Amino acid sequence: MALRLSILYIGSRCPQDFGSAHSHLFLACVDRPDAIQSLKQRPDIVLMDPFAPEDNIDPENVRTWFDGLGACHFKFSPAVFVIVPEETKKRVRLSLMALGADHVVDWPLDIREIEVKSKGSMDKLHLQQALYSKTASLEKSFGYLDRFKRELKKVKDELLEDKSNLNTALKQIHQMSEGRNRLKQNLLDIKTQMAGDMEGFGRMLYALIRQRVERNRGHGERVGEIACFIAKKMGLSQKQLEDLSKAGMLHEIGLLFLSKDYIYPKEPEGQEAGEYPDSSPTVYDQAMMVQFPVKGAELLSHCRGFERVAAVIRFLNENVDGTGYPDGLTWHHIPLASRILAAADELETLRESNVSFGVQALLSELEPKIGSRLDPKIAGWLEKYAVLHWGADTLQVRGVGVEQLKPGMILSATLFTQTGTKLLPAGETLTRQAIDKIIQYHRAYPVEETVYIKV
Protein backbone atom coordinates (compact mmCIF):
# COMPACT_ATOMS: atom_id res chain seq x y z
CA MET A 1 0.00 0.00 0.00
CA ALA A 2 1.39 3.43 -1.05
CA LEU A 3 2.41 5.81 1.69
CA ARG A 4 0.04 8.77 1.98
CA LEU A 5 2.03 12.00 2.22
CA SER A 6 1.30 15.70 2.45
CA ILE A 7 4.11 17.62 0.70
CA LEU A 8 4.88 21.33 0.80
CA TYR A 9 7.06 22.64 -1.99
CA ILE A 10 8.96 25.93 -1.41
CA GLY A 11 10.44 27.44 -4.56
CA SER A 12 9.70 28.66 -8.03
CA ARG A 13 9.38 25.27 -9.81
CA CYS A 14 6.26 23.71 -8.32
CA PRO A 15 5.98 20.09 -9.60
CA GLN A 16 2.22 20.05 -10.23
CA ASP A 17 2.41 16.64 -11.89
CA PHE A 18 3.08 15.03 -8.45
CA GLY A 19 -0.42 15.62 -7.15
CA SER A 20 -2.19 14.78 -10.41
CA ALA A 21 -0.20 11.64 -11.20
CA HIS A 22 -0.15 10.18 -7.70
CA SER A 23 -3.38 10.19 -5.65
CA HIS A 24 -1.61 9.28 -2.42
CA LEU A 25 0.39 12.50 -2.53
CA PHE A 26 -1.06 15.85 -1.47
CA LEU A 27 1.02 18.73 -2.80
CA ALA A 28 0.97 22.39 -1.81
CA CYS A 29 3.36 25.03 -3.23
CA VAL A 30 4.62 28.35 -1.89
CA ASP A 31 7.32 30.53 -3.43
CA ARG A 32 9.13 31.68 -0.28
CA PRO A 33 9.86 30.21 3.19
CA ASP A 34 7.92 32.81 5.23
CA ALA A 35 4.72 31.81 3.41
CA ILE A 36 4.75 28.53 5.34
CA GLN A 37 3.51 30.38 8.45
CA SER A 38 0.10 30.80 6.82
CA LEU A 39 -0.43 27.03 6.71
CA LYS A 40 -2.96 25.62 9.22
CA GLN A 41 -1.83 22.02 8.94
CA ARG A 42 1.64 20.59 9.35
CA PRO A 43 3.06 18.96 6.15
CA ASP A 44 4.81 15.61 6.28
CA ILE A 45 7.55 16.63 3.87
CA VAL A 46 8.95 20.05 2.98
CA LEU A 47 10.68 20.23 -0.37
CA MET A 48 13.00 23.24 -0.39
CA ASP A 49 14.18 24.36 -3.83
CA PRO A 50 16.50 27.29 -3.06
CA PHE A 51 18.74 26.87 -6.12
CA ALA A 52 17.54 28.16 -9.46
CA PRO A 53 19.43 26.70 -12.46
CA GLU A 54 21.38 29.89 -12.94
CA ASP A 55 22.33 30.29 -9.21
CA ASN A 56 25.61 29.16 -7.80
CA ILE A 57 25.34 26.23 -5.34
CA ASP A 58 26.29 27.84 -2.04
CA PRO A 59 24.98 26.16 1.13
CA GLU A 60 25.25 29.37 3.15
CA ASN A 61 22.53 30.93 0.93
CA VAL A 62 20.13 28.26 2.20
CA ARG A 63 20.56 29.28 5.85
CA THR A 64 17.85 31.98 5.60
CA TRP A 65 15.43 29.38 4.22
CA PHE A 66 16.02 27.16 7.27
CA ASP A 67 15.59 30.17 9.55
CA GLY A 68 12.24 30.96 7.94
CA LEU A 69 11.19 27.33 8.34
CA GLY A 70 12.32 27.36 11.95
CA ALA A 71 9.98 30.28 12.70
CA CYS A 72 7.04 27.89 12.26
CA HIS A 73 6.34 26.29 15.61
CA PHE A 74 5.31 22.72 14.90
CA LYS A 75 5.12 20.20 17.69
CA PHE A 76 6.91 17.77 15.39
CA SER A 77 9.12 19.32 12.73
CA PRO A 78 8.43 18.07 9.17
CA ALA A 79 11.15 16.30 7.24
CA VAL A 80 13.11 18.76 5.06
CA PHE A 81 14.29 17.65 1.66
CA VAL A 82 16.61 20.12 -0.20
CA ILE A 83 16.50 19.96 -4.00
CA VAL A 84 19.86 20.33 -5.72
CA PRO A 85 21.04 19.85 -9.29
CA GLU A 86 22.23 16.38 -10.17
CA GLU A 87 25.85 17.46 -10.55
CA THR A 88 26.05 18.85 -7.00
CA LYS A 89 29.09 17.59 -5.23
CA LYS A 90 29.07 15.45 -2.14
CA ARG A 91 30.68 18.18 -0.03
CA VAL A 92 27.77 20.52 -0.73
CA ARG A 93 25.25 17.84 0.02
CA LEU A 94 26.85 17.15 3.42
CA SER A 95 26.91 20.89 4.20
CA LEU A 96 23.17 21.12 3.51
CA MET A 97 22.46 18.17 5.80
CA ALA A 98 24.62 19.81 8.44
CA LEU A 99 22.42 22.92 8.20
CA GLY A 100 19.31 20.84 8.98
CA ALA A 101 18.23 19.00 5.87
CA ASP A 102 17.02 15.45 6.40
CA HIS A 103 17.74 14.45 2.82
CA VAL A 104 19.17 15.99 -0.36
CA VAL A 105 17.35 15.04 -3.61
CA ASP A 106 18.23 15.78 -7.21
CA TRP A 107 16.31 17.80 -9.71
CA PRO A 108 14.38 16.61 -11.65
CA LEU A 109 12.50 14.95 -8.84
CA ASP A 110 12.08 11.18 -8.68
CA ILE A 111 8.87 10.29 -6.94
CA ARG A 112 10.17 6.84 -6.03
CA GLU A 113 13.22 8.36 -4.33
CA ILE A 114 11.00 10.75 -2.35
CA GLU A 115 8.69 7.93 -1.22
CA VAL A 116 11.56 5.73 -0.05
CA LYS A 117 13.29 8.54 1.83
CA SER A 118 9.94 9.76 3.20
CA LYS A 119 9.25 6.34 4.72
CA GLY A 120 12.34 6.66 6.89
CA SER A 121 11.31 10.18 7.86
CA MET A 122 7.79 9.02 8.69
CA ASP A 123 9.18 6.19 10.82
CA LYS A 124 11.30 8.77 12.60
CA LEU A 125 8.17 10.92 13.09
CA HIS A 126 6.27 8.02 14.56
CA LEU A 127 9.14 7.32 16.93
CA GLN A 128 9.20 11.00 17.92
CA GLN A 129 5.45 10.92 18.54
CA ALA A 130 5.72 7.73 20.58
CA LEU A 131 8.63 9.22 22.51
CA TYR A 132 6.64 12.38 23.10
CA SER A 133 3.66 10.37 24.32
CA LYS A 134 5.83 8.28 26.61
CA THR A 135 7.63 11.37 27.84
CA ALA A 136 4.30 13.11 28.52
CA SER A 137 3.02 10.02 30.28
CA LEU A 138 6.23 9.76 32.26
CA GLU A 139 6.08 13.45 33.19
CA LYS A 140 2.46 12.95 34.24
CA SER A 141 3.52 9.95 36.29
CA PHE A 142 6.32 11.99 37.83
CA GLY A 143 3.73 14.68 38.56
CA TYR A 144 1.53 12.11 40.26
CA LEU A 145 4.58 10.80 42.11
CA ASP A 146 5.53 14.30 43.24
CA ARG A 147 1.95 14.92 44.38
CA PHE A 148 1.92 11.55 46.11
CA LYS A 149 5.21 12.41 47.81
CA ARG A 150 3.76 15.72 48.95
CA GLU A 151 0.58 14.03 50.21
CA LEU A 152 2.67 11.30 51.82
CA LYS A 153 4.76 13.92 53.56
CA LYS A 154 1.58 15.66 54.65
CA VAL A 155 0.18 12.36 55.98
CA LYS A 156 3.50 11.66 57.65
CA ASP A 157 3.42 15.07 59.32
CA GLU A 158 -0.18 14.45 60.37
CA LEU A 159 0.78 11.02 61.74
CA LEU A 160 3.67 12.55 63.66
CA GLU A 161 1.28 15.15 65.04
CA ASP A 162 -1.26 12.43 65.89
CA LYS A 163 1.51 10.40 67.52
CA SER A 164 2.50 13.41 69.58
CA ASN A 165 -1.14 14.03 70.51
CA LEU A 166 -1.56 10.32 71.34
CA ASN A 167 1.50 10.36 73.57
CA THR A 168 0.14 13.46 75.28
CA ALA A 169 -3.27 11.78 75.65
CA LEU A 170 -1.65 8.61 77.01
CA LYS A 171 0.26 10.65 79.55
CA GLN A 172 -2.96 12.40 80.53
CA ILE A 173 -4.76 9.06 80.74
CA HIS A 174 -1.95 7.69 82.89
CA GLN A 175 -2.15 10.72 85.13
CA MET A 176 -5.94 10.41 85.24
CA SER A 177 -5.61 6.70 86.04
CA GLU A 178 -3.20 7.46 88.85
CA GLY A 179 -5.56 10.17 90.06
CA ARG A 180 -8.49 7.74 89.81
CA ASN A 181 -6.57 5.13 91.78
CA ARG A 182 -5.78 7.73 94.41
CA LEU A 183 -9.44 8.76 94.52
CA LYS A 184 -10.48 5.11 94.81
CA GLN A 185 -8.03 4.61 97.64
CA ASN A 186 -9.21 7.80 99.30
CA LEU A 187 -12.80 6.68 98.84
CA LEU A 188 -11.97 3.28 100.29
CA ASP A 189 -10.27 4.95 103.23
CA ILE A 190 -13.29 7.22 103.68
CA LYS A 191 -15.67 4.25 103.46
CA THR A 192 -13.54 2.34 105.96
CA GLN A 193 -13.47 5.36 108.23
CA MET A 194 -17.22 5.87 107.80
CA ALA A 195 -17.83 2.20 108.54
CA GLY A 196 -15.74 2.56 111.66
CA ASP A 197 -17.55 5.77 112.58
CA MET A 198 -20.92 4.11 111.99
CA GLU A 199 -19.86 1.12 114.08
CA GLY A 200 -18.68 3.46 116.82
CA PHE A 201 -21.85 5.52 116.57
CA GLY A 202 -23.94 2.37 116.78
CA ARG A 203 -21.97 1.23 119.82
CA MET A 204 -22.42 4.65 121.37
CA LEU A 205 -26.19 4.50 120.82
CA TYR A 206 -26.31 0.98 122.21
CA ALA A 207 -24.31 2.05 125.24
CA LEU A 208 -26.87 4.80 125.79
CA ILE A 209 -29.75 2.32 125.45
CA ARG A 210 -28.03 -0.17 127.76
CA GLN A 211 -27.35 2.51 130.32
CA ARG A 212 -30.78 4.14 130.31
CA VAL A 213 -33.49 1.66 129.27
CA GLU A 214 -32.19 -1.91 129.33
CA ARG A 215 -33.24 -3.65 132.50
CA ASN A 216 -31.34 -6.78 131.42
CA ARG A 217 -27.89 -5.85 130.22
CA GLY A 218 -26.95 -7.31 126.83
CA HIS A 219 -30.57 -7.72 125.72
CA GLY A 220 -29.96 -6.01 122.36
CA GLU A 221 -26.89 -8.10 121.55
CA ARG A 222 -28.71 -11.32 122.38
CA VAL A 223 -31.69 -10.31 120.22
CA GLY A 224 -29.29 -9.55 117.35
CA GLU A 225 -27.60 -12.95 117.78
CA ILE A 226 -30.94 -14.81 117.67
CA ALA A 227 -32.12 -12.76 114.67
CA CYS A 228 -28.90 -13.47 112.74
CA PHE A 229 -29.20 -17.21 113.45
CA ILE A 230 -32.71 -17.28 111.97
CA ALA A 231 -31.81 -14.99 109.04
CA LYS A 232 -28.82 -17.15 108.14
CA LYS A 233 -30.95 -20.29 108.19
CA MET A 234 -33.50 -18.55 105.94
CA GLY A 235 -30.87 -17.56 103.38
CA LEU A 236 -30.59 -13.79 103.90
CA SER A 237 -27.51 -12.00 102.55
CA GLN A 238 -24.48 -10.96 104.59
CA LYS A 239 -25.51 -7.31 104.33
CA GLN A 240 -28.97 -8.16 105.68
CA LEU A 241 -27.35 -10.10 108.54
CA GLU A 242 -25.28 -7.02 109.42
CA ASP A 243 -28.39 -4.82 109.34
CA LEU A 244 -30.28 -7.29 111.57
CA SER A 245 -27.41 -7.40 114.05
CA LYS A 246 -27.46 -3.59 114.30
CA ALA A 247 -31.27 -3.55 114.49
CA GLY A 248 -31.13 -6.06 117.34
CA MET A 249 -28.80 -3.82 119.33
CA LEU A 250 -30.74 -0.62 118.61
CA HIS A 251 -34.35 -1.81 118.47
CA GLU A 252 -35.10 -0.21 121.88
CA ILE A 253 -33.72 3.22 120.99
CA GLY A 254 -37.27 4.58 120.84
CA LEU A 255 -37.64 3.84 124.57
CA LEU A 256 -35.35 6.80 125.21
CA PHE A 257 -38.42 8.96 124.54
CA LEU A 258 -40.16 7.52 127.64
CA SER A 259 -40.47 9.85 130.59
CA LYS A 260 -37.70 9.80 133.15
CA ASP A 261 -40.11 8.80 135.91
CA TYR A 262 -41.17 5.74 133.96
CA ILE A 263 -37.60 4.72 133.17
CA TYR A 264 -36.33 5.48 136.68
CA PRO A 265 -39.33 5.14 139.04
CA LYS A 266 -38.85 6.34 142.56
CA GLU A 267 -38.82 3.60 145.14
CA PRO A 268 -41.50 4.17 147.78
CA GLU A 269 -40.56 4.01 151.41
CA GLY A 270 -40.26 0.49 152.66
CA GLN A 271 -39.47 -0.86 149.12
CA GLU A 272 -36.40 -3.06 149.09
CA ALA A 273 -33.65 -2.11 146.68
CA GLY A 274 -33.77 -3.93 143.37
CA GLU A 275 -37.55 -4.48 143.41
CA TYR A 276 -39.63 -2.79 140.70
CA PRO A 277 -42.26 -0.45 142.18
CA ASP A 278 -45.89 -0.69 141.19
CA SER A 279 -46.31 2.57 139.31
CA SER A 280 -49.00 3.36 136.81
CA PRO A 281 -47.59 4.69 133.50
CA THR A 282 -48.92 7.93 132.11
CA VAL A 283 -50.98 8.05 128.90
CA TYR A 284 -47.89 9.34 127.11
CA ASP A 285 -45.77 6.43 128.32
CA GLN A 286 -48.48 3.93 127.44
CA ALA A 287 -48.64 5.29 123.88
CA MET A 288 -44.85 5.41 123.63
CA MET A 289 -44.53 1.74 124.66
CA VAL A 290 -46.54 0.89 121.56
CA GLN A 291 -45.03 3.46 119.22
CA PHE A 292 -41.40 3.35 120.37
CA PRO A 293 -40.20 1.38 117.26
CA VAL A 294 -41.60 4.13 115.01
CA LYS A 295 -39.97 6.87 117.09
CA GLY A 296 -36.69 5.00 117.13
CA ALA A 297 -36.85 4.44 113.36
CA GLU A 298 -37.51 8.14 112.77
CA LEU A 299 -34.47 8.99 114.88
CA LEU A 300 -32.19 6.50 113.08
CA SER A 301 -33.44 7.47 109.62
CA HIS A 302 -31.71 10.84 110.08
CA CYS A 303 -28.37 9.08 110.68
CA ARG A 304 -26.59 8.26 107.41
CA GLY A 305 -25.83 4.56 107.15
CA PHE A 306 -28.67 3.51 109.46
CA GLU A 307 -31.56 3.93 107.00
CA ARG A 308 -32.00 0.17 106.42
CA VAL A 309 -31.70 -0.51 110.12
CA ALA A 310 -34.44 2.06 110.76
CA ALA A 311 -36.68 0.34 108.18
CA VAL A 312 -36.29 -2.98 110.04
CA ILE A 313 -37.02 -1.50 113.48
CA ARG A 314 -40.08 0.51 112.34
CA PHE A 315 -42.26 -2.62 111.96
CA LEU A 316 -41.12 -4.32 115.18
CA ASN A 317 -44.59 -4.12 116.79
CA GLU A 318 -46.50 -5.36 113.72
CA ASN A 319 -48.31 -8.70 114.25
CA VAL A 320 -48.80 -11.22 111.47
CA ASP A 321 -52.55 -11.32 112.16
CA GLY A 322 -52.83 -7.56 111.46
CA THR A 323 -53.45 -6.39 115.06
CA GLY A 324 -50.07 -4.65 115.46
CA TYR A 325 -48.77 -1.09 115.14
CA PRO A 326 -48.28 1.32 113.46
CA ASP A 327 -49.91 0.18 110.19
CA GLY A 328 -51.72 -3.05 111.07
CA LEU A 329 -49.86 -5.01 108.38
CA THR A 330 -50.32 -8.76 107.95
CA TRP A 331 -48.00 -11.62 107.08
CA HIS A 332 -45.85 -10.94 104.02
CA HIS A 333 -46.75 -7.26 103.98
CA ILE A 334 -44.44 -6.99 106.99
CA PRO A 335 -40.78 -7.02 105.88
CA LEU A 336 -39.12 -10.38 106.53
CA ALA A 337 -36.27 -8.81 108.52
CA SER A 338 -38.83 -7.07 110.79
CA ARG A 339 -40.68 -10.37 111.38
CA ILE A 340 -37.38 -12.06 112.28
CA LEU A 341 -36.44 -9.24 114.66
CA ALA A 342 -39.85 -9.34 116.35
CA ALA A 343 -39.57 -13.11 116.87
CA ALA A 344 -36.04 -12.81 118.30
CA ASP A 345 -37.12 -10.01 120.66
CA GLU A 346 -40.15 -12.01 121.78
CA LEU A 347 -38.10 -15.11 122.60
CA GLU A 348 -35.38 -13.21 124.46
CA THR A 349 -37.95 -11.17 126.40
CA LEU A 350 -39.73 -14.39 127.46
CA ARG A 351 -36.44 -15.89 128.61
CA GLU A 352 -35.48 -12.78 130.58
CA SER A 353 -38.91 -12.59 132.20
CA ASN A 354 -38.87 -16.27 133.18
CA VAL A 355 -35.31 -17.03 134.12
CA SER A 356 -36.31 -20.05 136.17
CA PHE A 357 -38.23 -21.62 133.29
CA GLY A 358 -36.79 -24.52 131.39
CA VAL A 359 -36.73 -24.64 127.62
CA GLN A 360 -39.98 -26.58 127.40
CA ALA A 361 -41.74 -24.05 129.62
CA LEU A 362 -40.43 -21.21 127.44
CA LEU A 363 -41.65 -22.94 124.31
CA SER A 364 -45.03 -23.46 125.92
CA GLU A 365 -45.20 -19.72 126.65
CA LEU A 366 -44.23 -19.01 123.05
CA GLU A 367 -46.86 -21.34 121.59
CA PRO A 368 -49.92 -19.00 121.88
CA LYS A 369 -48.09 -16.22 120.00
CA ILE A 370 -47.48 -18.33 116.89
CA GLY A 371 -49.80 -17.29 114.09
CA SER A 372 -50.95 -14.15 115.87
CA ARG A 373 -47.83 -12.26 116.90
CA LEU A 374 -45.21 -14.45 115.20
CA ASP A 375 -44.75 -15.91 111.75
CA PRO A 376 -45.04 -19.74 112.19
CA LYS A 377 -42.14 -20.43 109.85
CA ILE A 378 -39.88 -18.08 111.82
CA ALA A 379 -41.24 -19.46 115.12
CA GLY A 380 -40.05 -22.91 114.06
CA TRP A 381 -36.50 -21.59 113.80
CA LEU A 382 -36.95 -19.83 117.16
CA GLU A 383 -37.72 -23.12 118.82
CA LYS A 384 -34.72 -24.77 117.15
CA TYR A 385 -32.50 -21.95 118.40
CA ALA A 386 -33.84 -22.36 121.94
CA VAL A 387 -33.38 -26.12 121.88
CA LEU A 388 -29.88 -25.99 120.37
CA HIS A 389 -28.51 -23.08 122.42
CA TRP A 390 -30.38 -23.21 125.73
CA GLY A 391 -31.57 -26.76 126.09
CA ALA A 392 -28.83 -28.88 124.56
CA ASP A 393 -27.30 -29.73 127.96
CA THR A 394 -30.53 -30.40 129.84
CA LEU A 395 -32.65 -31.85 127.03
CA GLN A 396 -29.90 -33.76 125.19
CA VAL A 397 -31.39 -33.20 121.73
CA ARG A 398 -30.28 -34.46 118.35
CA GLY A 399 -31.40 -33.81 114.82
CA VAL A 400 -32.76 -36.47 112.47
CA GLY A 401 -34.31 -36.52 109.04
CA VAL A 402 -37.98 -37.22 108.31
CA GLU A 403 -37.13 -40.69 107.03
CA GLN A 404 -35.39 -41.49 110.35
CA LEU A 405 -38.42 -40.78 112.56
CA LYS A 406 -39.62 -43.71 114.68
CA PRO A 407 -42.56 -44.25 117.05
CA GLY A 408 -41.74 -43.27 120.61
CA MET A 409 -39.48 -40.33 119.73
CA ILE A 410 -40.30 -37.04 121.51
CA LEU A 411 -40.20 -33.76 119.61
CA SER A 412 -38.04 -31.17 121.31
CA ALA A 413 -39.36 -28.36 119.09
CA THR A 414 -42.63 -27.67 117.31
CA LEU A 415 -42.66 -29.18 113.84
CA PHE A 416 -43.63 -26.87 110.97
CA THR A 417 -43.73 -27.27 107.20
CA GLN A 418 -41.54 -24.92 105.19
CA THR A 419 -44.64 -22.88 104.40
CA GLY A 420 -45.30 -22.30 108.12
CA THR A 421 -48.05 -24.86 108.75
CA LYS A 422 -47.86 -26.30 112.26
CA LEU A 423 -47.91 -30.11 112.30
CA LEU A 424 -47.04 -31.18 115.85
CA PRO A 425 -46.21 -29.27 119.06
CA ALA A 426 -43.01 -29.55 121.07
CA GLY A 427 -43.06 -32.45 123.56
CA GLU A 428 -45.28 -34.60 121.34
CA THR A 429 -44.51 -38.31 121.45
CA LEU A 430 -44.48 -39.66 117.92
CA THR A 431 -46.80 -42.49 116.97
CA ARG A 432 -46.97 -44.40 113.71
CA GLN A 433 -50.04 -42.37 112.80
CA ALA A 434 -48.21 -39.08 113.53
CA ILE A 435 -45.19 -40.18 111.47
CA ASP A 436 -47.45 -41.14 108.56
CA LYS A 437 -49.06 -37.67 108.81
CA ILE A 438 -45.62 -36.03 108.71
CA ILE A 439 -44.56 -38.10 105.69
CA GLN A 440 -47.83 -37.32 103.90
CA TYR A 441 -47.35 -33.58 104.42
CA HIS A 442 -43.69 -33.86 103.54
CA ARG A 443 -44.56 -35.07 100.03
CA ALA A 444 -46.80 -32.07 99.27
CA TYR A 445 -45.46 -29.41 101.65
CA PRO A 446 -41.89 -30.30 102.71
CA VAL A 447 -41.11 -30.00 106.42
CA GLU A 448 -37.83 -28.68 107.76
CA GLU A 449 -34.80 -30.73 106.74
CA THR A 450 -33.87 -31.46 110.36
CA VAL A 451 -36.33 -32.60 113.05
CA TYR A 452 -35.04 -32.15 116.62
CA ILE A 453 -35.98 -34.85 119.11
CA LYS A 454 -35.09 -35.57 122.73
CA VAL A 455 -32.54 -38.26 123.33
Side-chain angles (χ1 to χ4, degrees):
M1 184 177 179
L3 184 66
R4 297 174 66 87
L5 296 172
S6 62
I7 301 174
L8 174 66
Y9 173 84
I10 305 175
S12 58
R13 298 178 294 183
C14 180
Q16 295 290 343
D17 55 334
F18 270 32
S20 59
H22 305 281
S23 60
H24 61 281
L25 300 178
F26 302 93
L27 179 67
C29 297
V30 295
D31 55 358
R32 59 186 184 280
D34 56 355
I36 196 174
Q37 298 181 11
S38 61
L39 296 178
K40 296 181 179 180
Q41 188 174 358
R42 171 193 170 279
D44 296 324
I45 304 296
V46 175
L47 291 175
M48 297 178 62
D49 190 10
F51 306 110
E54 65 276 2
D55 292 342
N56 294 325
I57 305 300
D58 185 1
E60 290 300 323
N61 295 335
V62 188
R63 187 180 299 277
T64 57
W65 289 60
F66 278 104
D67 293 340
L69 184 62
C72 300
H73 300 289
F74 294 115
K75 182 179 292 186
F76 301 102
S77 299
V80 178
F81 290 8
V82 178
I83 301 172
V84 297
E86 288 182 325
E87 65 276 5
T88 305
K89 296 180 180 180
K90 183 178 181 180
R91 177 181 58 79
V92 176
R93 295 175 183 268
L94 293 176
S95 298
L96 292 172
M97 294 184 71
L99 288 174
D102 292 288
H103 294 285
V104 177
V105 295
D106 297 335
W107 183 273
L109 298 175
D110 184 354
I111 189 63
R112 179 61 182 163
E113 179 185 7
I114 292 176
E115 287 180 343
V116 171
K117 292 183 177 180
S118 296
K119 186 177 184 306
S121 298
M122 295 304 295
D123 290 341
K124 177 183 176 184
L125 173 64
H126 294 156
L127 288 175
Q128 288 177 338
Q129 290 175 338
L131 180 61
Y132 178 82
S133 176
K134 295 294 183 182
T135 303
S137 177
L138 189 61
E139 289 178 352
K140 189 175 181 180
S141 299
F142 278 126
Y144 288 148
L145 183 61
D146 291 339
R147 188 174 70 179
F148 175 74
K149 288 171 65 177
R150 290 193 299 270
E151 292 178 354
L152 184 62
K153 184 178 183 303
K154 181 180 179 182
V155 172
K156 181 179 178 181
D157 293 340
E158 291 176 352
L159 286 176
L160 290 175
E161 184 179 358
D162 291 343
K163 180 181 178 181
S164 177
N165 294 336
L166 181 60
N167 288 332
T168 303
L170 288 175
K171 290 179 181 179
Q172 293 176 349
I173 291 173
H174 181 67
Q175 293 173 355
M176 292 172 64
S177 178
E178 290 181 343
R180 181 172 175 268
N181 290 334
R182 287 195 298 271
L183 288 175
K184 286 177 65 177
Q185 185 60 45
N186 293 339
L187 182 60
L188 180 62
D189 295 341
I190 291 173
K191 288 177 68 175
T192 303
Q193 183 178 353
M194 286 184 64
D197 293 343
M198 287 171 58
E199 183 71 19
F201 183 67
R203 288 290 176 183
M204 181 182 69
L205 290 177
Y206 179 59
L208 184 61
I209 295 170
R210 185 172 54 188
Q211 183 68 29
R212 294 201 59 189
V213 300
E214 273 192 356
R215 293 186 177 181
N216 293 282
R217 294 295 175 90
H219 170 79
E221 291 177 332
R222 291 190 293 272
V223 169
E225 178 185 342
I226 298 170
C228 287
F229 171 84
I230 299 172
K232 190 173 183 180
K233 294 295 183 181
M234 297 186 73
L236 272 67
S237 67
Q238 183 62 35
K239 189 64 178 177
Q240 290 172 309
L241 292 178
E242 294 175 2
D243 291 339
L244 263 175
S245 178
K246 293 177 183 177
M249 289 195 303
L250 302 177
H251 72 280
E252 290 185 325
I253 191 170
L255 295 178
L256 294 173
F257 290 95
L258 291 169
S259 65
K260 184 177 179 180
D261 292 336
Y262 186 79
I263 298 176
Y264 304 110
K266 296 180 181 179
E267 296 182 0
E269 295 181 2
Q271 183 82 29
E272 294 184 5
E275 296 183 4
Y276 296 116
D278 296 329
S279 59
S280 300
T282 64
V283 175
Y284 168 81
D285 290 328
Q286 288 178 341
M288 189 56 61
M289 286 300 295
V290 175
Q291 296 291 340
F292 79 88
V294 177
K295 297 295 290 184
E298 289 178 355
L299 177 64
L300 288 175
S301 64
H302 296 295
C303 303
R304 179 171 296 181
F306 288 86
E307 297 86 353
R308 292 190 302 271
V309 177
V312 174
I313 293 174
R314 187 181 190 279
F315 302 100
L316 178 65
N317 279 352
E318 293 285 0
N319 299 330
V320 294
D321 63 359
T323 59
Y325 297 92
D327 301 320
L329 302 178
T330 59
W331 294 95
H332 297 291
H333 295 289
I334 306 170
L336 177 59
S338 299
R339 282 181 274 151
I340 293 174
L341 181 64
D345 183 47
E346 197 69 38
L347 179 63
E348 178 59 22
T349 301
L350 276 176
R351 189 191 69 82
E352 293 172 356
S353 302
N354 303 279
V355 179
S356 60
F357 280 18
V359 172
Q360 289 299 331
L362 281 176
L363 298 182
S364 298
E365 288 289 323
L366 191 67
E367 188 76 18
K369 300 179 182 293
I370 298 175
S372 56
R373 166 74 174 143
L374 304 179
D375 184 334
K377 185 177 180 181
I378 296 173
W381 286 111
L382 270 184
E383 294 190 359
K384 291 179 178 61
Y385 178 87
V387 169
L388 292 175
H389 292 78
W390 298 338
D393 295 336
T394 58
L395 294 180
Q396 297 183 345
V397 298
R398 67 186 178 96
V400 297
V402 173
E403 68 281 355
Q404 297 175 307
L405 294 176
K406 297 178 180 179
M409 289 183 173
I410 302 174
L411 294 176
S412 61
T414 303
L415 184 62
F416 293 91
T417 66
Q418 291 185 0
T419 59
T421 303
K422 178 181 176 181
L423 294 181
L424 296 172
E428 180 83 5
T429 300
L430 297 179
T431 62
R432 172 51 57 188
Q433 184 179 3
I435 294 175
D436 292 340
K437 177 183 177 182
I438 294 172
I439 294 174
Q440 182 180 1
Y441 266 93
H442 185 58
R443 290 171 181 168
Y445 306 100
V447 301
E448 301 294 345
E449 295 180 358
T450 304
V451 180
Y452 293 95
I453 62 171
K454 295 180 182 179
V455 177

